[in-house]
Amino acid sequence: MAELVSEIELVSEVFVANDFDNGYQSIETNSPQLVLLDIHLGENNGIDLLKIIKQKYPSIRVVIVSNKASQYYRDLSKENGCDYFIDKSKEFEKIPSVINSFFVKS
């Protein structure tokens, strides 16, 4: 996914984290404009990180990209402030257009 995202013209840097703690530290250190977040983050979950991001950094856009794409997880993600939800197994190709939609000025 990092390779796909790094090929998007409007993306200047890509930071990768493989678990909750590294994800949180990366957000604190790098102050991204957009976070692609999976629900499954090792022993923790992305919904908890989503809550923290939206409470502490409400201007950061968060796109959930997950295989846990049931309506329950879509609703839970939306209730906690996600800006877009992508089913990783069926909608992976949407990632570039979704990212571009956040940065292209109308």
Side-chain angles (χ1 to χ4, degrees):
M1 186 178 323
E3 186 177 328
L4 173 70
V5 172
S6 67
E7 293 174 358
I8 299 170
E9 187 176 322
L10 297 172
V11 174
S12 58
E13 291 182 275
V14 175
F15 304 98
V16 177
N18 295 317
D19 62 35
F20 183 96
D21 292 332
N22 288 331
Y24 180 75
Q25 287 176 335
S26 183
I27 291 164
E28 289 272 305
T29 303
N30 300 302
S31 303
Q33 294 178 316
L34 175 71
V35 172
L36 300 180
L37 183 61
D38 198 340
I39 292 174
H40 179 72
L41 294 176
E43 294 180 17
N44 300 94
N45 74 64
I47 300 297
D48 290 335
L49 187 52
L50 170 63
K51 290 176 188 177
I52 292 168
I53 293 168
K54 287 302 188 172
Q55 287 173 358
K56 238 181 144 172
Y57 308 101
S59 65
I60 294 177
R61 301 290 184 104
V62 179
V63 177
I64 299 291
V65 182
S66 182
N67 286 323
K68 293 184 177 189
S70 68
Q71 195 60 48
Y72 170 79
Y73 285 110
R74 288 176 183 272
D75 292 344
L76 186 61
S77 297
K78 186 168 180 78
E79 288 168 16
N80 286 286
C82 97
D83 296 287
Y84 202 91
F85 192 104
I86 293 176
D87 180 340
K88 192 177 354 182
S89 62
K90 295 179 183 171
E91 303 173 317
F92 194 80
E93 73 284 347
K94 285 186 175 182
I95 293 172
S97 63
V98 170
I99 290 173
N100 281 324
S101 75
F102 289 119
F103 295 110
V104 174
K105 306 272 189 245
S106 317

XYZ file of all heavy atoms in Angstrom:
851
model
N 0.824 -1.185 0.000
C 0.000 0.000 0.000
C 0.872 1.253 0.000
O 0.537 2.227 -0.670
C -0.933 0.019 1.209
C -1.882 1.167 1.124
S -3.112 1.333 2.422
C -3.579 -0.288 2.816
N 1.980 1.222 0.742
C 2.876 2.382 0.791
C 3.401 2.729 -0.594
O 3.491 3.904 -0.961
C 4.032 2.117 1.749
N 3.713 1.711 -1.382
C 4.208 1.947 -2.731
C 3.124 2.602 -3.594
O 3.391 3.557 -4.327
C 4.664 0.637 -3.371
C 5.313 0.822 -4.716
C 5.818 -0.491 -5.291
O 6.227 -1.379 -4.517
O 5.797 -0.619 -6.520
N 1.920 2.107 -3.504
C 0.801 2.676 -4.256
C 0.604 4.143 -3.885
O 0.475 5.001 -4.749
C -0.483 1.886 -3.973
C -1.772 2.449 -4.551
C -1.789 2.309 -6.064
C -2.971 1.741 -3.939
N 0.605 4.433 -2.603
C 0.378 5.800 -2.135
C 1.533 6.711 -2.535
O 1.322 7.855 -2.940
C 0.154 5.824 -0.604
C 0.101 7.239 -0.069
C -1.124 5.070 -0.249
N 2.753 6.220 -2.453
C 3.909 7.063 -2.788
C 3.942 7.449 -4.263
O 4.595 8.418 -4.635
C 5.212 6.373 -2.388
O 5.427 5.227 -3.179
N 3.230 6.726 -5.103
C 3.173 7.037 -6.535
C 2.155 8.131 -6.870
O 2.119 8.614 -8.001
C 2.858 5.777 -7.336
C 3.980 4.759 -7.296
C 3.634 3.446 -7.966
O 2.487 3.292 -8.442
O 4.501 2.565 -7.993
N 1.365 8.542 -5.905
C 0.364 9.584 -6.124
C 1.072 10.936 -6.142
O 1.801 11.282 -5.206
C -0.726 9.538 -5.038
C -1.438 8.184 -5.074
C -1.713 10.695 -5.210
C -2.356 7.939 -3.909
N 0.863 11.686 -7.192
C 1.585 12.940 -7.407
C 1.434 13.934 -6.253
O 2.384 14.618 -5.887
C 1.096 13.588 -8.705
C 1.887 14.805 -9.103
C 1.429 15.360 -10.439
O 1.099 14.571 -11.343
O 1.395 16.584 -10.560
N 0.265 14.026 -5.666
C 0.018 14.998 -4.602
C 0.563 14.578 -3.237
O 0.531 15.362 -2.296
C -1.482 15.269 -4.487
C -2.121 15.907 -5.720
C -3.628 15.954 -5.576
C -1.568 17.308 -5.941
N 1.084 13.373 -3.129
C 1.624 12.875 -1.864
C 3.121 13.147 -1.821
O 3.861 12.715 -2.695
C 1.341 11.362 -1.704
C 2.028 10.810 -0.470
C -0.155 11.112 -1.656
N 3.551 13.879 -0.794
C 4.970 14.223 -0.714
C 5.768 13.240 0.139
O 6.941 13.014 -0.131
C 5.151 15.644 -0.173
O 4.565 15.762 1.096
N 5.168 12.686 1.164
C 5.853 11.730 2.028
C 4.883 10.653 2.477
O 3.704 10.924 2.681
C 6.415 12.408 3.284
C 7.563 13.353 3.037
C 8.064 13.930 4.349
O 7.476 14.931 4.801
O 9.024 13.361 4.911
N 5.417 9.443 2.681
C 4.620 8.332 3.182
C 5.349 7.750 4.387
O 6.527 7.436 4.308
C 4.423 7.238 2.106
C 3.693 6.040 2.688
C 3.677 7.796 0.906
N 4.641 7.639 5.488
C 5.182 7.023 6.695
C 4.390 5.762 6.958
O 3.173 5.757 6.827
C 5.060 7.975 7.891
C 5.707 9.306 7.657
C 4.960 10.398 7.260
C 7.078 9.456 7.815
C 5.545 11.627 7.029
C 7.682 10.679 7.586
C 6.918 11.768 7.196
N 5.072 4.700 7.348
C 4.423 3.408 7.564
C 4.602 2.997 9.022
O 5.706 3.089 9.571
C 5.026 2.324 6.639
C 4.392 0.976 6.914
C 4.857 2.711 5.179
N 3.515 2.527 9.611
C 3.545 1.987 10.965
C 2.764 0.682 10.950
O 1.726 0.584 10.294
C 2.928 2.967 11.948
N 3.257 -0.302 11.671
C 2.638 -1.624 11.637
C 1.838 -1.979 12.878
O 1.299 -3.066 12.958
C 3.703 -2.692 11.388
C 4.322 -2.523 10.013
O 3.615 -2.274 9.054
N 5.628 -2.640 9.939
N 1.785 -1.069 13.842
C 0.973 -1.342 15.021
C 0.487 -0.024 15.627
O 0.863 1.060 15.186
C 1.722 -2.201 16.047
C 2.979 -1.547 16.597
O 3.009 -0.313 16.768
O 3.945 -2.278 16.878
N -0.335 -0.140 16.621
C -0.979 1.005 17.256
C 0.043 2.010 17.777
O -0.034 3.200 17.473
C -1.858 0.493 18.403
C -2.647 1.552 19.106
C -3.960 1.800 18.738
C -2.098 2.283 20.143
C -4.704 2.772 19.391
C -2.836 3.255 20.797
C -4.134 3.497 20.422
N 1.005 1.551 18.565
C 1.977 2.450 19.185
C 2.826 3.178 18.150
O 3.030 4.390 18.251
C 2.877 1.692 20.165
C 2.110 1.205 21.386
O 1.095 1.841 21.755
O 2.521 0.189 21.974
N 3.321 2.448 17.151
C 4.125 3.091 16.107
C 3.267 4.053 15.282
O 3.754 5.105 14.858
C 4.774 2.050 15.192
C 5.890 1.316 15.880
O 6.557 1.841 16.761
N 6.105 0.076 15.483
N 2.022 3.702 15.052
C 1.116 4.592 14.333
C 0.900 5.887 15.091
O 1.001 6.981 14.526
N 0.654 5.784 16.382
C 0.439 6.977 17.196
C 1.700 7.837 17.228
O 1.633 9.052 17.051
C 0.011 6.582 18.618
C -0.222 7.781 19.485
C -1.371 8.551 19.332
C 0.713 8.169 20.439
C -1.587 9.668 20.109
C 0.505 9.294 21.220
C -0.646 10.038 21.051
O -0.853 11.155 21.823
N 2.850 7.207 17.427
C 4.118 7.947 17.455
C 4.381 8.639 16.126
O 4.851 9.781 16.090
C 5.285 7.021 17.793
C 5.307 6.598 19.237
C 6.419 5.612 19.530
O 6.885 4.900 18.652
N 6.851 5.582 20.784
N 4.093 7.969 15.032
C 4.301 8.560 13.710
C 3.413 9.789 13.508
O 3.851 10.798 12.954
C 4.032 7.519 12.617
O 4.287 8.065 11.353
N 2.192 9.724 13.980
C 1.280 10.864 13.873
C 1.794 12.029 14.716
O 1.831 13.174 14.262
C -0.152 10.458 14.271
C -0.718 9.509 13.213
C -1.044 11.683 14.450
C -1.934 8.747 13.650
N 2.226 11.731 15.928
C 2.769 12.760 16.816
C 4.010 13.416 16.207
O 4.162 14.628 16.259
C 3.156 12.145 18.171
C 1.990 11.746 19.025
C 1.509 12.886 19.895
O 2.317 13.452 20.653
O 0.319 13.214 19.798
N 4.877 12.627 15.621
C 6.150 13.105 15.085
C 5.997 13.815 13.746
O 6.641 14.836 13.500
C 7.132 11.924 14.916
O 7.286 11.279 16.169
C 8.475 12.381 14.402
N 5.166 13.294 12.866
C 5.123 13.755 11.483
C 3.964 14.676 11.129
O 3.970 15.272 10.058
C 5.105 12.543 10.543
C 6.333 11.691 10.740
O 7.451 12.157 10.594
N 6.132 10.429 11.090
N 2.976 14.790 11.986
C 1.814 15.651 11.736
C 1.265 15.521 10.311
O 1.240 16.485 9.549
C 2.181 17.115 12.010
O 2.645 17.283 13.315
N 0.794 14.334 9.948
C 0.293 14.144 8.578
C -1.036 14.861 8.346
O -1.750 15.189 9.290
C 0.105 12.629 8.495
C -0.236 12.245 9.896
C 0.621 13.139 10.766
N -1.350 15.077 7.093
C -2.657 15.630 6.729
C -3.684 14.529 6.553
O -4.878 14.759 6.651
C -2.546 16.420 5.422
C -1.704 17.653 5.534
C -1.597 18.344 4.191
O -1.386 17.709 3.164
N -1.746 19.644 4.194
N -3.197 13.323 6.251
C -4.073 12.188 5.960
C -3.465 10.919 6.538
O -2.256 10.710 6.445
C -4.220 12.034 4.440
C -4.998 10.826 3.933
C -6.489 10.981 4.218
C -4.773 10.643 2.444
N -4.317 10.080 7.125
C -3.891 8.790 7.663
C -4.754 7.706 7.037
O -5.978 7.805 7.030
C -4.047 8.743 9.208
C -3.790 7.352 9.741
C -3.130 9.760 9.874
N -4.090 6.678 6.492
C -4.778 5.461 6.064
C -4.634 4.492 7.218
O -3.519 4.201 7.648
C -4.151 4.888 4.800
C -4.154 5.782 3.571
C -3.504 5.061 2.405
C -5.553 6.212 3.202
N -5.729 3.981 7.708
C -5.725 3.238 8.960
C -6.499 1.938 8.821
O -7.632 1.938 8.341
C -6.374 4.126 10.033
C -6.453 3.658 11.454
C -5.065 3.418 12.031
C -7.181 4.704 12.291
N -5.886 0.848 9.247
C -6.567 -0.445 9.271
C -7.248 -0.603 10.625
O -6.801 -0.021 11.623
C -5.557 -1.571 9.049
C -6.203 -2.886 8.630
O -7.418 -3.079 8.846
O -5.488 -3.733 8.078
N -8.294 -1.366 10.688
C -8.959 -1.633 11.962
C -8.110 -2.579 12.802
O -8.013 -2.428 14.009
C -10.378 -2.191 11.740
C -11.262 -1.102 11.136
C -10.974 -2.720 13.043
C -12.640 -1.554 10.728
N -7.475 -3.540 12.159
C -6.646 -4.505 12.876
C -5.222 -3.961 13.014
O -4.525 -3.781 12.028
C -6.626 -5.846 12.142
C -5.779 -6.874 12.803
N -6.145 -7.471 13.977
C -4.572 -7.379 12.475
C -5.190 -8.314 14.336
N -4.236 -8.264 13.433
N -4.813 -3.671 14.252
C -3.460 -3.170 14.524
C -2.809 -4.005 15.619
O -2.525 -3.520 16.707
C -3.508 -1.699 14.969
C -3.972 -0.685 13.955
C -4.058 0.704 14.585
C -3.034 -0.659 12.763
N -2.589 -5.264 15.334
C -1.989 -6.142 16.339
C -2.954 -6.375 17.472
O -4.115 -6.709 17.266
N -2.490 -6.156 18.689
C -3.328 -6.387 19.867
C -4.345 -5.268 20.093
O -5.283 -5.433 20.852
C -2.445 -6.548 21.103
C -1.588 -7.799 21.045
C -0.711 -7.955 22.271
O -0.973 -7.292 23.291
O 0.227 -8.743 22.197
N -4.133 -4.128 19.469
C -5.062 -3.007 19.597
C -5.880 -2.893 18.321
O -5.729 -3.693 17.422
C -4.284 -1.711 19.831
C -3.461 -1.776 21.096
O -2.292 -2.120 21.033
N -4.057 -1.476 22.222
N -6.726 -1.868 18.270
C -7.494 -1.719 17.039
C -7.480 -0.291 16.531
O -7.251 0.661 17.276
C -8.912 -2.269 17.201
C -9.797 -1.373 18.026
O -10.084 -0.255 17.633
N -10.235 -1.873 19.172
N -7.711 -0.171 15.240
C -7.669 1.115 14.582
C -8.783 2.057 14.986
O -8.637 3.269 14.877
N -9.895 1.522 15.466
C -10.992 2.387 15.912
C -10.530 3.210 17.109
O -10.824 4.400 17.205
C -12.267 1.573 16.236
C -12.768 0.806 15.007
C -13.356 2.482 16.812
C -13.198 1.663 13.837
N -9.784 2.585 18.019
C -9.267 3.337 19.168
C -8.295 4.429 18.721
O -8.327 5.543 19.237
C -8.569 2.402 20.164
C -9.554 1.497 20.880
O -10.751 1.868 20.988
O -9.151 0.412 21.322
N -7.446 4.118 17.751
C -6.522 5.126 17.231
C -7.286 6.212 16.482
O -6.971 7.399 16.599
C -5.456 4.478 16.343
C -4.334 5.395 15.858
C -3.675 6.149 17.012
C -3.299 4.586 15.084
N -8.306 5.840 15.740
C -9.162 6.812 15.064
C -9.745 7.804 16.069
O -9.726 9.019 15.836
C -10.285 6.087 14.310
C -11.420 6.938 13.742
C -10.912 7.900 12.683
C -12.515 6.034 13.186
N -10.257 7.300 17.185
C -10.829 8.173 18.217
C -9.796 9.174 18.719
O -10.091 10.366 18.867
C -11.341 7.341 19.394
C -12.553 6.519 19.093
C -12.900 5.670 20.311
C -13.981 4.673 20.012
N -14.284 3.803 21.175
N -8.591 8.697 18.983
C -7.527 9.563 19.479
C -7.165 10.624 18.439
O -7.032 11.806 18.762
C -6.280 8.739 19.862
C -6.591 7.873 21.087
C -5.079 9.633 20.116
C -5.533 6.819 21.384
N -7.015 10.194 17.201
C -6.660 11.135 16.135
C -7.708 12.237 16.038
O -7.389 13.426 15.998
C -6.525 10.419 14.769
C -5.332 9.462 14.772
C -6.398 11.439 13.637
C -5.302 8.510 13.574
N -8.967 11.854 15.995
C -10.033 12.841 15.808
C -10.222 13.747 17.023
O -10.632 14.892 16.888
C -11.341 12.149 15.428
C -11.321 11.615 13.999
C -11.038 12.753 13.025
C -11.184 12.354 11.600
N -11.099 13.509 10.681
N -9.891 13.251 18.216
C -9.981 14.093 19.410
C -8.814 15.074 19.485
O -8.994 16.251 19.769
C -10.003 13.229 20.673
C -11.301 12.509 20.874
C -11.246 11.516 22.030
O -10.216 11.329 22.667
N -12.372 10.875 22.288
N -7.614 14.568 19.206
C -6.405 15.380 19.358
C -6.065 16.198 18.124
O -5.516 17.289 18.233
C -5.227 14.449 19.677
C -4.535 14.776 20.955
C -3.387 13.850 21.197
C -2.298 14.669 21.846
N -1.191 13.909 22.306
N -6.362 15.662 16.948
C -6.007 16.301 15.684
C -7.207 16.263 14.731
O -7.189 15.547 13.733
C -4.823 15.575 15.032
C -3.643 15.387 15.940
C -3.405 14.168 16.561
C -2.766 16.444 16.172
C -2.316 14.003 17.397
C -1.672 16.274 17.009
C -1.454 15.054 17.624
O -0.378 14.899 18.453
N -8.245 17.009 15.011
C -9.474 16.894 14.206
C -9.294 17.254 12.732
O -10.115 16.846 11.899
C -10.448 17.848 14.905
C -9.610 18.738 15.746
C -8.368 17.982 16.086
N -8.250 17.982 12.384
C -8.068 18.348 10.972
C -7.424 17.241 10.145
O -7.443 17.296 8.913
C -7.233 19.618 10.857
O -5.919 19.386 11.327
N -6.873 16.225 10.795
C -6.300 15.101 10.047
C -7.429 14.284 9.444
O -8.369 13.892 10.134
C -5.416 14.199 10.945
C -4.176 14.944 11.411
C -5.013 12.921 10.196
C -3.289 14.141 12.361
N -7.337 14.043 8.153
C -8.308 13.188 7.473
C -7.915 11.737 7.718
O -6.730 11.394 7.653
C -8.315 13.450 5.975
C -8.645 14.871 5.598
C -10.122 15.158 5.894
N -10.501 16.464 5.458
C -11.204 16.733 4.383
N -11.610 15.775 3.586
N -11.526 17.966 4.074
N -8.881 10.887 7.992
C -8.626 9.473 8.244
C -9.465 8.626 7.303
O -10.693 8.767 7.256
C -8.915 9.080 9.708
C -8.647 7.598 9.919
C -8.099 9.917 10.678
N -8.779 7.760 6.569
C -9.436 6.806 5.688
C -9.197 5.424 6.278
O -8.047 5.012 6.453
C -8.872 6.874 4.250
C -9.517 5.810 3.372
C -9.078 8.260 3.660
N -10.252 4.732 6.621
C -10.135 3.354 7.087
C -10.003 2.470 5.850
O -10.815 2.560 4.930
C -11.356 2.923 7.919
C -11.521 3.784 9.173
C -11.274 1.437 8.274
C -10.461 3.598 10.239
N -8.962 1.641 5.840
C -8.720 0.692 4.750
C -8.597 -0.674 5.412
O -7.578 -0.982 6.033
C -7.428 1.039 3.970
C -7.232 0.074 2.819
C -7.462 2.475 3.469
N -9.645 -1.479 5.322
C -9.687 -2.702 6.111
C -10.424 -3.831 5.401
O -11.289 -3.587 4.560
C -10.386 -2.417 7.443
O -10.406 -3.555 8.263
N -10.070 -5.052 5.773
C -10.827 -6.222 5.327
C -12.071 -6.427 6.185
O -12.952 -7.180 5.813
C -9.962 -7.482 5.392
C -8.945 -7.520 4.274
O -9.221 -7.100 3.164
N -7.762 -8.017 4.576
N -12.123 -5.774 7.338
C -13.302 -5.850 8.207
C -14.285 -4.799 7.710
O -14.382 -3.710 8.262
C -12.906 -5.588 9.654
C -12.030 -6.674 10.229
C -11.736 -6.425 11.685
C -10.929 -7.574 12.241
N -10.803 -7.496 13.689
N -14.996 -5.144 6.655
C -15.810 -4.158 5.954
C -17.310 -4.352 6.140
O -18.103 -3.840 5.351
C -15.461 -4.172 4.473
N -17.699 -5.063 7.178
C -19.133 -5.236 7.415
C -19.763 -3.886 7.736
O -19.076 -2.919 8.065
C -19.368 -6.201 8.581
O -18.934 -5.603 9.795
N -21.077 -3.824 7.655
C -21.784 -2.575 7.956
C -21.499 -2.117 9.377
O -21.408 -0.915 9.656
C -23.289 -2.737 7.716
C -24.021 -1.415 7.667
C -23.523 -0.509 6.553
O -23.366 -0.928 5.411
N -23.254 0.741 6.881
N -21.322 -3.063 10.292
C -21.002 -2.719 11.679
C -19.730 -1.874 11.746
O -19.701 -0.828 12.394
C -20.841 -3.997 12.522
C -20.272 -3.720 13.886
C -21.086 -3.215 14.899
C -18.925 -3.939 14.161
C -20.563 -2.930 16.154
C -18.402 -3.657 15.407
C -19.225 -3.158 16.404
O -18.697 -2.867 17.647
N -18.657 -2.319 11.088
C -17.394 -1.588 11.127
C -17.463 -0.283 10.343
O -16.844 0.714 10.722
C -16.241 -2.459 10.631
C -15.842 -3.479 11.660
C -16.092 -4.833 11.456
C -15.237 -3.103 12.848
C -15.748 -5.771 12.415
C -14.889 -4.026 13.811
C -15.144 -5.368 13.592
O -14.807 -6.304 14.543
N -18.219 -0.265 9.269
C -18.402 0.984 8.520
C -19.106 2.027 9.397
O -18.684 3.180 9.470
C -19.213 0.730 7.245
C -18.442 -0.023 6.185
C -19.332 -0.343 4.979
N -18.622 -1.126 4.002
C -17.877 -0.625 3.013
N -17.750 0.673 2.885
N -17.266 -1.425 2.175
N -20.171 1.602 10.069
C -20.912 2.516 10.938
C -20.066 2.962 12.120
O -20.057 4.153 12.472
C -22.204 1.859 11.441
C -23.231 1.634 10.344
O -23.096 2.240 9.252
O -24.162 0.828 10.570
N -19.358 2.024 12.744
C -18.508 2.347 13.885
C -17.419 3.341 13.487
O -17.137 4.296 14.216
C -17.889 1.065 14.450
C -17.078 1.184 15.725
C -17.942 1.714 16.879
C -16.492 -0.180 16.087
N -16.833 3.135 12.326
C -15.795 4.040 11.838
C -16.363 5.437 11.601
O -15.774 6.444 12.006
C -15.193 3.501 10.540
O -14.559 2.268 10.767
N -17.509 5.494 10.952
C -18.146 6.788 10.676
C -18.528 7.499 11.970
O -18.308 8.704 12.113
C -19.365 6.584 9.791
C -19.989 7.882 9.339
C -20.993 7.632 8.235
C -21.632 8.902 7.776
N -20.828 9.700 6.890
N -19.083 6.766 12.931
C -19.466 7.347 14.222
C -18.272 7.954 14.938
O -18.422 8.900 15.715
C -20.089 6.280 15.125
C -21.462 5.843 14.714
C -21.921 4.591 15.465
O -21.318 4.233 16.510
O -22.879 3.954 14.984
N -17.096 7.418 14.685
C -15.888 7.894 15.364
C -15.058 8.841 14.509
O -13.922 9.143 14.858
C -15.065 6.701 15.857
C -15.726 6.069 17.056
O -15.688 6.620 18.139
N -16.375 4.934 16.850
N -15.629 9.289 13.396
C -15.023 10.377 12.651
C -14.238 10.046 11.406
O -13.602 10.931 10.840
N -14.269 8.800 10.948
C -13.501 8.511 9.728
C -14.099 9.288 8.564
O -15.298 9.523 8.502
C -13.402 7.017 9.455
S -14.560 6.314 8.304
N -13.227 9.705 7.663
C -13.649 10.521 6.539
C -14.028 9.685 5.315
O -14.728 10.164 4.430
C -12.530 11.499 6.167
C -12.269 12.473 7.300
O -13.105 13.365 7.496
O -11.252 12.324 8.016
N -13.559 8.447 5.282
C -13.882 7.550 4.168
C -13.541 6.131 4.597
O -12.613 5.930 5.383
C -13.089 7.935 2.910
C -13.718 7.439 1.634
C -14.628 8.231 0.941
C -13.422 6.181 1.122
C -15.224 7.783 -0.233
C -14.011 5.718 -0.048
C -14.909 6.525 -0.712
O -15.497 6.069 -1.862
N -14.271 5.158 4.092
C -14.022 3.744 4.408
C -13.812 2.989 3.110
O -14.625 3.095 2.189
C -15.218 3.145 5.160
C -14.947 1.802 5.758
C -14.730 1.668 7.117
C -14.906 0.658 4.963
C -14.485 0.418 7.679
C -14.656 -0.588 5.507
C -14.443 -0.710 6.875
N -12.723 2.233 3.039
C -12.421 1.418 1.858
C -12.307 -0.043 2.277
O -11.561 -0.366 3.205
C -11.103 1.866 1.194
C -11.267 3.274 0.605
C -10.663 0.880 0.114
C -10.005 3.857 0.018
N -13.046 -0.893 1.595
C -12.930 -2.334 1.780
C -11.661 -2.773 1.057
O -11.601 -2.760 -0.173
C -14.159 -3.028 1.195
C -14.131 -4.540 1.328
O -13.039 -5.124 1.529
O -15.212 -5.148 1.209
N -10.648 -3.134 1.817
C -9.335 -3.455 1.255
C -9.392 -4.593 0.243
O -8.661 -4.597 -0.738
C -8.372 -3.814 2.394
C -6.956 -3.883 1.979
C -5.907 -4.162 3.066
C -6.311 -4.218 4.476
N -5.177 -4.448 5.388
N -10.274 -5.548 0.441
C -10.320 -6.704 -0.457
C -11.102 -6.440 -1.747
O -10.897 -7.124 -2.735
C -10.905 -7.917 0.263
O -12.236 -7.662 0.655
N -11.993 -5.421 -1.741
C -12.835 -5.188 -2.915
C -12.661 -3.807 -3.545
O -13.073 -3.604 -4.678
C -14.303 -5.358 -2.542
C -14.659 -6.766 -2.127
C -16.114 -6.858 -1.748
C -16.447 -8.264 -1.272
N -17.784 -8.337 -0.705
N -12.109 -2.859 -2.808
C -12.056 -1.478 -3.297
C -10.650 -0.883 -3.267
O -10.487 0.330 -3.303
C -12.983 -0.592 -2.457
C -14.411 -1.050 -2.439
C -15.277 -0.269 -1.462
O -14.818 -0.003 -0.330
O -16.398 0.072 -1.842
N -9.644 -1.717 -3.195
C -8.257 -1.267 -3.056
C -7.884 -0.246 -4.126
O -7.170 0.720 -3.850
C -7.318 -2.481 -3.111
C -5.930 -2.201 -2.659
C -5.625 -2.159 -1.306
C -4.916 -1.976 -3.579
C -4.335 -1.909 -0.866
C -3.619 -1.722 -3.146
C -3.337 -1.683 -1.797
N -8.385 -0.434 -5.329
C -8.036 0.452 -6.443
C -8.579 1.867 -6.264
O -8.159 2.792 -6.951
C -8.519 -0.129 -7.778
C -10.011 -0.070 -8.017
C -10.853 -1.086 -7.249
O -10.287 -2.040 -6.671
O -12.091 -0.910 -7.198
N -9.490 2.077 -5.325
C -10.045 3.402 -5.064
C -9.093 4.307 -4.285
O -9.306 5.516 -4.230
C -11.348 3.292 -4.257
C -12.537 2.829 -5.009
C -13.746 2.921 -4.098
C -15.024 2.585 -4.816
N -16.177 2.734 -3.917
N -8.085 3.731 -3.668
C -7.216 4.503 -2.773
C -6.662 5.765 -3.430
O -6.793 6.854 -2.863
C -6.104 3.615 -2.173
C -6.734 2.584 -1.232
C -5.058 4.452 -1.441
C -5.791 1.527 -0.721
N -6.052 5.693 -4.618
C -5.520 6.929 -5.205
C -6.572 8.018 -5.430
O -6.338 9.189 -5.116
C -4.914 6.465 -6.536
C -4.583 5.030 -6.308
C -5.691 4.521 -5.423
N -7.740 7.651 -5.937
C -8.754 8.675 -6.197
C -9.302 9.266 -4.898
O -9.597 10.460 -4.831
C -9.879 8.127 -7.070
O -10.570 7.092 -6.424
N -9.425 8.443 -3.857
C -9.891 8.956 -2.566
C -8.863 9.924 -1.994
O -9.211 11.021 -1.536
C -10.189 7.804 -1.579
C -10.422 8.329 -0.173
C -11.390 7.007 -2.054
N -7.599 9.558 -2.038
C -6.546 10.450 -1.534
C -6.545 11.754 -2.323
O -6.506 12.846 -1.743
C -5.168 9.758 -1.594
C -5.119 8.637 -0.550
C -4.040 10.767 -1.376
C -3.889 7.766 -0.617
N -6.585 11.654 -3.631
C -6.598 12.863 -4.461
C -7.784 13.758 -4.138
O -7.667 14.984 -4.156
C -6.594 12.505 -5.947
C -5.230 12.120 -6.439
O -4.221 12.660 -6.009
N -5.181 11.169 -7.354
N -8.917 13.159 -3.818
C -10.118 13.963 -3.527
C -9.939 14.852 -2.297
O -10.567 15.887 -2.190
C -11.342 13.058 -3.357
O -11.318 12.379 -2.114
N -9.053 14.480 -1.398
C -8.806 15.281 -0.210
C -7.863 16.450 -0.483
O -7.835 17.406 0.295
C -8.230 14.432 0.923
C -9.237 13.483 1.523
C -9.003 12.118 1.472
C -10.394 13.937 2.106
C -9.932 11.225 2.027
C -11.318 13.060 2.651
C -11.080 11.700 2.611
N -7.090 16.380 -1.547
C -6.086 17.404 -1.788
C -6.347 18.296 -2.992
O -5.755 19.353 -3.108
C -4.703 16.741 -1.957
C -4.246 16.063 -0.701
C -4.184 14.687 -0.630
C -3.906 16.801 0.420
C -3.778 14.053 0.528
C -3.505 16.172 1.576
C -3.426 14.804 1.647
N -7.201 17.871 -3.897
C -7.487 18.670 -5.073
C -8.467 19.759 -4.700
O -9.538 19.482 -4.153
C -8.055 17.780 -6.219
C -8.489 18.643 -7.381
C -7.032 16.761 -6.637
N -8.095 20.964 -4.980
C -8.954 22.122 -4.671
C -9.985 22.291 -5.779
O -9.669 22.203 -6.943
C -8.125 23.403 -4.565
C -6.974 23.310 -3.592
C -7.409 23.684 -2.222
C -6.201 23.810 -1.296
N -6.142 22.872 -0.263
N -11.221 22.568 -5.402
C -12.276 22.776 -6.400
C -12.249 24.194 -6.914
O -11.956 25.108 -6.261
C -13.650 22.517 -5.815
O -13.694 21.385 -5.024
